Amino acid sequence: KQEVTQIPAALSVPEGENLVLNCSFTDSAIYNLQWFRQDPGKGLTSLLLIQSSQREQTSGRLNASLDKSSGRSTLYIAASQPGDSATYLCARSGGYNKLIFGAGTRLAVHP
Amino acid sequence: DTEVTQTPKHLVMGMTNKKSLKCEQHMGHRAMYWYKQKAKKPPELMFVYSYEKLSINESVPSRFSPECPNSSLLNLHLHALQPEDSALYLCASTTPGGEGKLFFGSGTQLSVL
C-alpha cells in the first residue's frame, strides 16, 4: 500500500523561526512530489513541485528537497510569518498526476 | 487566468435530492479531477478525466456521477446521497502526461441532511 506520512502533525512557533516539515513515502517509484498549502475550509494552493529527477525546488522563503532513495521530502520555511499559518500537505504522484496525500502538518505562527 | 472555479461554494441537500457541482477552468488543461475531503483528513481521489474521457474511477459509488461536457467543464452529479457523503468536494486540473502542478478550486462544502 502506498503511504505518505507527515511529521509533525501540528506545529506552533513564534514569528521569525525557520521551520522544517517532513514528509516520507513508501514507494520510491514516484513521478513527482508536490507540496500544497490549505487554509481552513478552502482549496489547496500548490507551493512547490519536485520532479523525480530533481533534488530540490525553491520559491521565495520556501525550499523543498527530495531524496527518492530514502523516501523523504522536506519543506523548509525561512523566517516564518503569521500569514504562513495553514495546513501543509505533501503528495506523491504515481502517474496521471494521481496524488496520494499525507495527513498534513497544521502550522500556527504567532506574533 | 490561472483559476479553477467551483460552484456552488456551499450546498445543503436532502437524501432524496438531485444536485450538481460544477467546475470550470480556462487554462487549456486537458486533465481534470474530483477529490473528496472529509474534515481534518487529506483529499482522496474520486475521478480523473483525461481529454474529456474518464480514465480513473476510484471505486466511487454510483450515486456520484461525473461528466465532462467539454475541455473546460467538469460536473459532478449527485443523487440519493447519504449523510456520510458530507465533505468538501475539490476540483483540480493540470496538463495530462506532463505531471505538472495541480491547480485546485476552492471547493464545494456539501452537507447531506
Side-chain angles (χ1 to χ4, degrees):
Chain A
K1 180 181 177 183
Q2 302 169 352
E3 289 189 349
V4 179
T5 304
Q6 291 189 244
I7 295 173
L11 191 58
S12 181
V13 299
E15 182 177 7
E17 282 204 3
N18 299 324
L19 308 174
V20 176
L21 308 183
N22 296 294
C23 173
S24 61
F25 46 92
T26 55
D27 185 354
S28 62
I30 65 171
Y31 283 79
N32 63 51
L33 191 291
Q34 302 188 38
W35 283 93
F36 295 87
R37 168 186 172 140
Q38 186 173 31
D39 294 290
K42 302 294 186 182
L44 281 68
T45 300
S46 179
L47 297 174
L48 291 165
L49 179 153
I50 312 174
Q51 300 288 358
S52 62
S53 58
Q54 298 174 323
R55 293 293 297 249
E56 66 176 334
Q57 284 288 323
T58 298
S59 176
R61 295 182 293 109
L62 304 179
N63 174 275
S65 64
L66 174 64
D67 184 342
K68 283 177 52 180
S69 62
S70 65
R72 292 185 178 186
S73 178
T74 298
L75 178 66
Y76 178 81
I77 303 176
S80 58
Q81 303 171 357
D84 295 331
S85 299
T87 296
Y88 291 80
L89 296 148
C90 73
R92 64 175 295 282
S93 172
Y96 281 105
N97 230 332
K98 179 180 172 180
L99 298 182
I100 299 184
F101 286 86
T105 293
R106 294 186 305 282
L107 173 65
V109 181
H110 47 88
Chain B
D1 183 1
T2 58
E3 278 194 355
V4 176
T5 303
Q6 288 188 245
T7 55
K9 294 191 184 305
H10 302 275
L11 179 63
V12 180
M13 61 186 290
M15 290 188 286
T16 59
N17 291 158
K18 285 186 180 181
K19 298 286 185 183
S20 296
L21 309 185
K22 180 180 175 180
C23 174
E24 190 169 6
Q25 57 85 19
H26 296 287
M27 294 178 278
H29 290 168
R30 301 303 293 273
M32 297 185 75
Y33 305 71
W34 281 114
Y35 280 84
K36 173 182 177 179
Q37 186 177 27
K38 302 282 280 184
K40 299 191 186 301
K41 297 291 187 182
E44 294 180 342
L45 182 66
M46 300 175 72
F47 302 104
V48 180
Y49 271 83
S50 181
Y51 293 97
E52 295 86 70
K53 294 190 187 307
L54 183 64
S55 56
I56 295 178
N57 177 342
E58 292 289 284
S59 301
V60 178
S62 60
R63 58 185 183 269
F64 295 92
S65 176
E67 177 197 20
C68 190
N70 60 55
S71 60
S72 299
L73 284 174
L74 184 66
N75 299 319
L76 186 62
H77 303 298
L78 314 173
H79 174 54
L81 294 193
Q82 304 297 310
E84 59 264 31
D85 296 321
S86 298
L88 181 67
Y89 288 84
L90 295 162
C91 173
S93 71
T94 190
T95 52
E99 301 298 337
K101 282 187 179 182
L102 246 61
F103 290 81
F104 279 84
S106 56
T108 293
Q109 187 65 56
L110 174 67
S111 297
V112 182
L113 304 179

